[in-house]
Amino acid sequence: MDESVLWPDTIRNTVKTGPDREVLTVYPYRSACPKSVWRSLITNATSTIVLAGYTNYFLWLEHPNFATVLKRKAEQGCRIRFLVGDPDSEVTRRREQVEAVPLTVSTRIRITLAELDPLKNLSGIEARFGDEHIALSVFQFDDEMLVTPHLANLVGHDSPMLHLKRRQDDGLYDRFTYHANELWQHGRDIWNNEPTTT
């Protein structure tokens, strides 16, 4: 007799069979995710990297030679997209008041912009401004993804994070991919600073 008939609750509680099978790991804090997970996801991505964090500031701090890695990835055919908040927007100003930390949101964004500037003429690397993802960061690496819903007045590293892997149509992975794509479509090109429609 099948084990799921004999012990259906036990099987259901230990083996993921529904939409939650896309959830690989849950971290109560983004900072609790080992750097080795990020490194592995970045290293193994071959087609798509989407970095849709409002500041993306921590990436430059925690990953040595990050710009060199991105340049190499782009040269190998990986499409890399950065979506960051506008440092001069009202959304950013309000968030700075909420967080009330010395290293302001706009400063963290400007650090990312400075790090991105040498990459602006590389084919395969794009960057846009968008303010609608202030409360949700999505980091996509081919068929895996890290998602951080930002809590109340906490900064990103103090908010929880989900590690997802695509395993079905219209699951969590696809839903967050839709979210990131919509934000990208309505973003403004950072280097041309003009509205985009594609």
Side-chain angles (χ1 to χ4, degrees):
M1 186 172 284
D2 190 277
E3 287 181 321
S4 63
V5 174
L6 293 174
W7 302 289
D9 289 335
T10 302
I11 296 300
R12 202 167 17 256
N13 290 333
T14 57
V15 177
K16 295 178 181 181
T17 58
D20 65 333
R21 67 187 168 160
E22 291 194 316
V23 179
L24 298 181
T25 312
V26 177
Y27 301 97
Y29 301 90
R30 188 189 72 202
S31 55
C33 177
K35 290 180 186 175
S36 60
V37 171
W38 287 92
R39 191 165 37 253
S40 174
L41 291 171
I42 293 165
T43 300
N44 294 333
T46 58
S47 63
T48 304
I49 295 177
V50 175
L51 302 165
Y54 200 76
T55 71
N56 287 321
Y57 164 73
F58 72 98
L59 294 167
W60 311 101
L61 291 181
E62 296 180 5
H63 304 285
N65 300 314
F66 191 47
T68 302
V69 171
L70 295 177
K71 181 178 182 289
R72 187 168 55 247
K73 285 282 175 189
E75 289 169 347
Q76 293 168 350
C78 188
R79 182 185 67 187
I80 300 165
R81 289 181 166 177
F82 274 86
L83 185 69
V84 298
D86 184 337
D88 299 316
S89 74
E90 183 59 33
V91 172
T92 297
R93 280 191 286 279
R94 283 197 309 269
R95 187 64 191 178
E96 288 180 342
Q97 292 170 349
V98 169
E99 289 185 3
V101 296
L103 189 59
T104 64
V105 176
S106 58
T107 298
R108 298 193 312 260
I109 293 170
R110 285 188 173 94
I111 290 170
T112 289
L113 295 176
E115 294 285 353
L116 281 174
D117 198 56
L119 304 174
K120 69 181 176 183
N121 294 319
L122 291 177
S123 177
I125 298 182
E126 302 172 273
R128 293 185 182 179
F129 286 129
D131 290 328
E132 301 301 317
H133 65 301
I134 185 70
L136 181 70
S137 296
V138 177
F139 306 98
Q140 180 182 9
F141 309 91
D142 291 349
D143 64 348
E144 292 190 51
M145 179 182 289
L146 299 171
V147 178
T148 298
H150 296 265
L151 302 183
N153 61 342
L154 300 179
V155 294
H157 66 264
D158 285 334
S159 293
M161 190 171 73
L162 308 173
H163 183 177
L164 308 177
K165 183 174 178 67
R166 189 180 192 281
R167 299 189 192 279
Q168 64 188 65
D169 291 340
D170 204 31
L172 283 175
Y173 177 95
D174 283 358
R175 302 289 295 161
F176 285 118
T177 298
Y178 165 81
H179 173 76
N181 287 342
E182 283 296 301
L183 294 174
W184 182 260
Q185 295 301 325
H186 295 95
R188 301 183 329 277
D189 188 284
I190 284 175
W191 295 309
N192 292 331
N193 208 17
E194 297 173 353
T196 52
T197 56
T198 58

Coordinates of all heavy atoms in Angstrom, one line a residue, residues 104-155:
T104 N 21.4 56.8 4.2 CA 20.1 57.0 3.6 C 19.8 56.1 2.4 O 20.7 55.7 1.7 CB 19.8 58.5 3.3 OG1 20.7 58.8 2.2 CG2 20.0 59.4 4.5
V105 N 18.5 56.0 2.1 CA 18.1 55.2 0.9 C 18.7 55.9 -0.4 O 19.3 55.2 -1.2 CB 16.6 55.2 0.8 CG1 16.2 54.5 -0.5 CG2 16.0 54.5 2.0
S106 N 18.6 57.2 -0.5 CA 19.2 57.8 -1.7 C 20.7 57.7 -1.8 O 21.2 57.5 -2.9 CB 18.8 59.3 -1.7 OG 19.3 60.0 -0.6
T107 N 21.4 57.7 -0.7 CA 22.8 57.5 -0.7 C 23.1 56.1 -1.2 O 24.0 55.9 -2.0 CB 23.4 57.7 0.7 OG1 23.2 59.1 1.0 CG2 24.9 57.5 0.7
R108 N 22.4 55.1 -0.7 CA 22.6 53.7 -1.1 C 22.4 53.5 -2.6 O 23.1 52.8 -3.3 CB 21.8 52.8 -0.2 CG 22.2 52.9 1.3 CD 21.6 51.8 2.1 NE 20.2 51.4 2.0 CZ 19.2 51.8 2.9 NH1 19.5 52.7 3.9 NH2 18.0 51.4 2.7
I109 N 21.3 54.2 -3.1 CA 21.0 54.1 -4.5 C 22.2 54.7 -5.3 O 22.6 54.2 -6.3 CB 19.7 54.8 -4.9 CG1 18.5 54.0 -4.2 CG2 19.5 54.9 -6.4 CD1 17.2 54.7 -4.3
R110 N 22.6 55.9 -4.9 CA 23.7 56.6 -5.6 C 25.0 55.8 -5.6 O 25.8 55.8 -6.6 CB 23.9 58.0 -5.0 CG 22.8 58.9 -5.4 CD 23.1 60.4 -5.0 NE 22.1 61.2 -5.6 CZ 21.0 61.6 -4.9 NH1 20.8 61.2 -3.7 NH2 20.1 62.4 -5.5
I111 N 25.3 55.0 -4.6 CA 26.4 54.1 -4.6 C 26.3 53.1 -5.7 O 27.2 52.8 -6.4 CB 26.6 53.5 -3.2 CG1 27.1 54.5 -2.2 CG2 27.6 52.3 -3.3 CD1 27.1 54.1 -0.8
T112 N 25.1 52.5 -5.8 CA 24.8 51.5 -6.8 C 25.0 52.2 -8.2 O 25.6 51.6 -9.1 CB 23.4 50.9 -6.7 OG1 23.4 50.0 -5.6 CG2 23.0 50.1 -7.9
L113 N 24.4 53.4 -8.4 CA 24.5 54.1 -9.7 C 26.0 54.3 -10.0 O 26.4 54.1 -11.2 CB 23.8 55.4 -9.7 CG 22.2 55.3 -9.5 CD1 21.6 56.6 -9.4 CD2 21.6 54.4 -10.6
A114 N 26.8 54.7 -9.1 CA 28.2 54.9 -9.3 C 28.9 53.6 -9.7 O 29.8 53.6 -10.6 CB 28.9 55.5 -8.1
E115 N 28.5 52.5 -9.1 CA 29.1 51.2 -9.4 C 28.7 50.7 -10.8 O 29.4 50.0 -11.5 CB 28.7 50.1 -8.3 CG 29.3 50.4 -7.0 CD 30.8 50.0 -6.9 OE1 31.4 49.5 -7.8 OE2 31.4 50.4 -5.8
L116 N 27.4 51.0 -11.2 CA 26.9 50.6 -12.5 C 27.5 51.5 -13.6 O 27.6 51.0 -14.7 CB 25.4 50.8 -12.5 CG 24.6 49.7 -11.8 CD1 23.1 50.0 -11.8 CD2 24.8 48.3 -12.5
D117 N 27.9 52.7 -13.3 CA 28.2 53.6 -14.4 C 29.3 53.0 -15.4 O 29.2 53.2 -16.6 CB 28.7 54.9 -13.8 CG 28.7 56.0 -14.9 OD1 27.6 56.3 -15.5 OD2 29.8 56.6 -15.1
P118 N 30.4 52.4 -14.9 CA 31.4 51.8 -15.8 C 30.8 50.7 -16.7 O 31.4 50.3 -17.7 CB 32.5 51.3 -14.9 CG 32.3 52.0 -13.6 CD 30.8 52.2 -13.5
L119 N 29.6 50.2 -16.3 CA 29.0 49.0 -17.1 C 28.0 49.5 -18.1 O 27.5 48.7 -18.9 CB 28.4 48.1 -16.1 CG 29.2 47.5 -15.0 CD1 28.4 46.6 -14.1 CD2 30.4 46.7 -15.6
K120 N 27.8 50.8 -18.2 CA 26.6 51.3 -19.0 C 26.7 51.1 -20.5 O 25.7 51.0 -21.1 CB 26.4 52.8 -18.7 CG 27.4 53.7 -19.2 CD 27.0 55.2 -18.8 CE 28.1 56.2 -19.2 NZ 27.7 57.5 -18.7
N121 N 27.9 50.9 -21.0 CA 28.0 50.7 -22.5 C 28.2 49.3 -22.9 O 28.4 49.0 -24.0 CB 29.2 51.6 -23.0 CG 28.9 53.0 -22.9 OD1 27.8 53.5 -23.1 ND2 29.9 53.8 -22.4
L122 N 28.0 48.4 -21.9 CA 28.2 46.9 -22.2 C 26.9 46.4 -22.7 O 25.8 46.5 -22.1 CB 28.6 46.2 -20.9 CG 30.0 46.5 -20.4 CD1 30.3 45.7 -19.1 CD2 31.1 46.1 -21.5
S123 N 27.0 45.7 -23.8 CA 25.8 45.0 -24.3 C 25.4 43.9 -23.3 O 26.2 43.1 -22.8 CB 26.1 44.3 -25.7 OG 25.0 43.6 -26.1
G124 N 24.1 43.8 -23.1 CA 23.5 42.8 -22.1 C 23.3 43.3 -20.7 O 22.7 42.6 -19.9
I125 N 23.7 44.5 -20.4 CA 23.5 45.1 -19.1 C 22.6 46.3 -19.2 O 22.9 47.2 -20.0 CB 24.8 45.4 -18.4 CG1 25.6 44.2 -18.1 CG2 24.5 46.1 -17.0 CD1 26.9 44.4 -17.4
E126 N 21.4 46.3 -18.6 CA 20.5 47.4 -18.6 C 20.2 47.8 -17.2 O 20.2 47.0 -16.3 CB 19.2 46.9 -19.3 CG 19.4 46.4 -20.7 CD 18.1 45.8 -21.2 OE1 17.9 44.6 -21.0 OE2 17.3 46.6 -21.9
A127 N 19.8 49.1 -17.1 CA 19.4 49.6 -15.7 C 18.3 50.6 -15.9 O 18.3 51.5 -16.8 CB 20.6 50.2 -15.1
R128 N 17.3 50.5 -15.0 CA 16.1 51.4 -15.0 C 15.8 51.8 -13.6 O 16.0 51.1 -12.6 CB 14.9 50.7 -15.6 CG 15.1 50.4 -17.1 CD 13.8 49.8 -17.7 NE 14.1 49.5 -19.1 CZ 13.1 49.0 -20.0 NH1 11.9 48.7 -19.5 NH2 13.5 48.8 -21.2
F129 N 15.2 53.0 -13.5 CA 14.6 53.5 -12.3 C 13.1 53.0 -12.2 O 12.4 53.0 -13.2 CB 14.5 55.0 -12.3 CG 15.9 55.7 -12.0 CD1 16.3 56.7 -12.9 CD2 16.6 55.3 -10.9 CE1 17.5 57.3 -12.7 CE2 17.9 56.0 -10.7 CZ 18.3 57.0 -11.6
G130 N 12.7 52.6 -11.0 CA 11.3 52.3 -10.8 C 11.0 52.4 -9.3 O 11.8 51.9 -8.5
D131 N 10.0 53.1 -8.9 CA 9.7 53.2 -7.4 C 8.7 52.3 -6.9 O 8.4 52.3 -5.7 CB 9.2 54.7 -7.2 CG 10.4 55.7 -7.3 OD1 11.5 55.3 -7.1 OD2 10.1 56.8 -7.8
E132 N 8.0 51.5 -7.7 CA 6.9 50.6 -7.3 C 7.4 49.4 -6.5 O 6.5 48.7 -6.0 CB 6.1 50.2 -8.5 CG 5.5 51.4 -9.2 CD 4.6 52.3 -8.3 OE1 3.8 51.7 -7.5 OE2 4.7 53.5 -8.4
H133 N 8.6 49.1 -6.5 CA 9.1 47.9 -5.8 C 9.7 48.2 -4.4 O 10.5 47.4 -3.9 CB 10.1 47.1 -6.7 CG 11.4 47.8 -7.0 ND1 11.4 49.0 -7.6 CD2 12.7 47.4 -6.7 CE1 12.7 49.4 -7.7 NE2 13.5 48.4 -7.2
I134 N 9.4 49.4 -3.9 CA 9.9 49.8 -2.6 C 9.7 48.8 -1.5 O 10.5 48.6 -0.6 CB 9.3 51.2 -2.2 CG1 10.0 51.7 -0.9 CG2 7.8 51.1 -2.0 CD1 11.4 52.2 -1.0
A135 N 8.6 48.0 -1.6 CA 8.3 47.1 -0.5 C 8.6 45.6 -0.8 O 8.3 44.7 0.0 CB 6.8 47.2 -0.1
L136 N 9.2 45.4 -2.0 CA 9.4 44.0 -2.4 C 10.6 43.9 -3.4 O 10.6 44.5 -4.4 CB 8.2 43.4 -3.1 CG 8.3 42.0 -3.6 CD1 8.3 41.0 -2.4 CD2 7.1 41.6 -4.5
S137 N 11.6 43.2 -3.0 CA 12.8 43.0 -3.8 C 12.7 41.6 -4.4 O 12.4 40.6 -3.8 CB 14.1 43.1 -3.0 OG 14.2 44.4 -2.4
V138 N 13.1 41.6 -5.7 CA 13.1 40.3 -6.5 C 14.5 40.2 -7.2 O 14.9 41.0 -7.9 CB 12.0 40.3 -7.5 CG1 12.1 39.0 -8.4 CG2 10.6 40.4 -6.9
F139 N 15.1 39.1 -6.9 CA 16.5 38.8 -7.4 C 16.4 37.5 -8.2 O 16.2 36.4 -7.6 CB 17.5 38.7 -6.4 CG 17.6 40.0 -5.5 CD1 16.9 40.0 -4.3 CD2 18.2 41.1 -5.9 CE1 16.9 41.1 -3.5 CE2 18.2 42.3 -5.1 CZ 17.6 42.3 -3.9
Q140 N 16.4 37.5 -9.5 CA 16.2 36.3 -10.3 C 17.5 35.9 -11.0 O 18.2 36.7 -11.5 CB 15.1 36.7 -11.4 CG 14.8 35.6 -12.4 CD 13.8 36.0 -13.4 OE1 13.5 37.2 -13.6 NE2 13.3 35.1 -14.2
F141 N 17.7 34.6 -10.9 CA 18.9 33.9 -11.5 C 18.4 32.7 -12.3 O 18.2 31.6 -11.7 CB 19.9 33.5 -10.4 CG 20.2 34.7 -9.5 CD1 19.4 34.8 -8.3 CD2 21.2 35.6 -9.7 CE1 19.7 35.9 -7.4 CE2 21.5 36.6 -8.9 CZ 20.7 36.8 -7.7
D142 N 18.2 32.9 -13.6 CA 17.6 31.8 -14.4 C 16.3 31.3 -13.8 O 15.4 32.0 -13.7 CB 18.6 30.7 -14.7 CG 19.8 31.1 -15.6 OD1 19.7 32.2 -16.1 OD2 20.8 30.4 -15.6
D143 N 16.3 30.0 -13.3 CA 15.0 29.5 -12.8 C 15.0 29.5 -11.3 O 14.2 28.8 -10.7 CB 14.8 28.1 -13.3 CG 15.9 27.1 -12.9 OD1 16.9 27.5 -12.3 OD2 15.7 25.9 -13.1
E144 N 15.9 30.3 -10.6 CA 15.8 30.4 -9.2 C 15.7 31.9 -8.8 O 16.0 32.8 -9.7 CB 17.0 29.8 -8.5 CG 17.1 28.3 -8.6 CD 18.2 27.7 -7.7 OE1 18.3 28.0 -6.5 OE2 18.9 26.9 -8.3
M145 N 15.2 32.2 -7.6 CA 14.9 33.5 -7.3 C 15.0 33.7 -5.8 O 14.6 32.8 -5.0 CB 13.5 33.8 -7.8 CG 12.9 35.1 -7.5 SD 11.2 35.2 -8.1 CE 11.4 35.2 -9.9
L146 N 15.4 34.9 -5.4 CA 15.4 35.3 -4.0 C 14.4 36.5 -3.9 O 14.5 37.4 -4.6 CB 16.8 35.7 -3.5 CG 17.8 34.6 -3.5 CD1 19.2 35.2 -3.2 CD2 17.5 33.5 -2.5
V147 N 13.4 36.4 -3.0 CA 12.4 37.4 -2.8 C 12.4 38.0 -1.4 O 12.4 37.2 -0.4 CB 11.0 36.9 -3.2 CG1 9.9 37.9 -3.0 CG2 11.0 36.3 -4.6
T148 N 12.4 39.3 -1.2 CA 12.4 39.9 0.1 C 11.2 40.8 0.2 O 11.2 41.9 -0.4 CB 13.7 40.7 0.4 OG1 14.8 39.8 0.4 CG2 13.6 41.4 1.7
P149 N 10.2 40.5 1.0 CA 9.1 41.4 1.3 C 9.6 42.3 2.5 O 10.0 41.8 3.5 CB 7.9 40.5 1.7 CG 8.6 39.3 2.2 CD 9.9 39.1 1.5
H150 N 9.6 43.6 2.2 CA 10.2 44.5 3.3 C 9.1 44.8 4.3 O 8.0 45.1 4.0 CB 10.7 45.8 2.6 CG 11.8 45.6 1.7 ND1 13.1 45.7 2.1 CD2 11.8 45.2 0.4 CE1 13.9 45.4 1.1 NE2 13.1 45.1 0.0
L151 N 9.5 44.7 5.6 CA 8.6 44.8 6.7 C 8.7 46.2 7.3 O 9.8 46.7 7.6 CB 9.0 43.8 7.8 CG 9.0 42.3 7.4 CD1 9.3 41.5 8.7 CD2 7.6 41.9 6.9
A152 N 7.5 46.8 7.5 CA 7.4 48.1 8.2 C 8.5 49.0 7.9 O 8.9 49.4 6.8 CB 7.1 47.8 9.6
N153 N 9.2 49.4 9.0 CA 10.3 50.4 8.9 C 11.7 49.7 8.9 O 12.7 50.4 9.1 CB 10.2 51.4 10.1 CG 10.4 50.6 11.5 OD1 10.2 49.4 11.5 ND2 10.7 51.4 12.5
L154 N 11.7 48.4 8.6 CA 13.0 47.7 8.6 C 13.7 47.9 7.3 O 13.1 48.0 6.2 CB 12.8 46.2 8.9 CG 12.1 45.9 10.2 CD1 12.0 44.4 10.4 CD2 13.0 46.4 11.4
V155 N 15.0 47.9 7.4 CA 15.8 47.9 6.1 C 15.9 46.5 5.6 O 15.5 45.5 6.3 CB 17.3 48.4 6.4 CG1 17.3 49.9 6.8 CG2 18.0 47.6 7.4

